[in-house]
Amino acid sequence: MKRRTWILFASLILIVSCFVVFTVSKKDIDPSITIEQLSWDALTPETEKFGKELEDEGAQDIQYFEIGNVEGELLYVELSGRRVIPNEKESDFEVFLQYPQDKKSLVLKSYQDKVLLISYRNGNTLHEYMTNSASTAVSNASSADLDKEYCAFISAIGPVEKNGTRLGYAVFSDDKMIIASMKEEPSSIEKKISEDDFVYEYRITVEVIKAES
């Protein structure tokens, strides 16, 4: 009888623990923000034209991401990164790209409810380009060249959380097969990093700003 009571008690504790974890995780999710990778068919004519211009300049492996807000509010978006080193303590994320550059200018742009992020490589350099989905006239850009023979951005979008969302990994390596293997299994990228590789986790942080009436 005591054994049966103990088993029931242990089962109850397990159920309660799972419920607490689920509740905490659910609170971290931000349902008002959407982050998705766009296919070529989903691009606007202006974005498609811009992508072709990048290709003419030597861009390869172009990827398009759209950050949106279901309520149609203005968005301020930051892209940050941190180096991933196996068996070492995680470092802090550092912002290296934002859009728009001046957050205060958002109140003047009622169409700024969607931000377009473009990632591509040119040779062994990775580029990120952030602009407005409705108009690419104004933008911010960044690039990284870590003196490795190969590079790639591998998309691995995580749950959209209030404190930031994993977008994917920037990989710089002299081993082309390592990058190919990581692309096949994005969920196990961190397990495949060698001592000579540079791998950075990229995170998107979104701030919703109320427009002035």
Side-chain angles (χ1 to χ4, degrees), residues 40 43-54 56 64:
W40 181 263
L43 301 181
T44 64
E46 183 174 353
T47 301
E48 186 176 327
K49 178 181 178 182
F50 182 71
K52 289 180 178 178
E53 291 175 355
L54 290 176
D56 291 341
Y64 303 87

Side-chain angles (χ1 to χ4, degrees), residues 90-182:
E90 290 183 340
S91 58
D92 294 330
F93 282 96
E94 295 184 10
V95 177
F96 63 90
L97 182 63
Q98 62 277 329
Y99 187 82
Q101 186 71 32
D102 179 15
K103 191 188 302 186
K104 293 180 180 179
S105 66
L106 276 171
V107 296
L108 304 175
K109 299 179 179 179
S110 59
Y111 56 80
Q112 183 67 54
D113 61 342
K114 290 184 179 180
V115 173
L116 180 69
L117 171 63
I118 302 174
S119 174
Y120 63 94
R121 69 178 179 86
N122 194 327
N124 58 356
T125 302
L126 274 184
H127 300 266
E128 290 80 34
Y129 188 97
M130 203 179 289
T131 185
N132 191 295
S133 285
S135 172
T136 60
V138 180
S139 63
N140 285 337
S142 68
S143 61
D145 181 352
L146 298 183
D147 198 28
K148 291 292 181 179
E149 191 171 354
Y150 305 101
C151 66
F153 179 75
I154 302 174
S155 173
I157 301 175
V160 180
E161 300 182 352
K162 295 177 181 178
N163 64 343
T165 302
R166 185 189 66 233
L167 184 69
Y169 296 87
V171 182
F172 301 83
S173 176
D174 290 322
D175 190 336
K176 190 175 183 179
M177 297 304 294
I178 284 287
I179 293 181
S181 177
M182 289 179 173

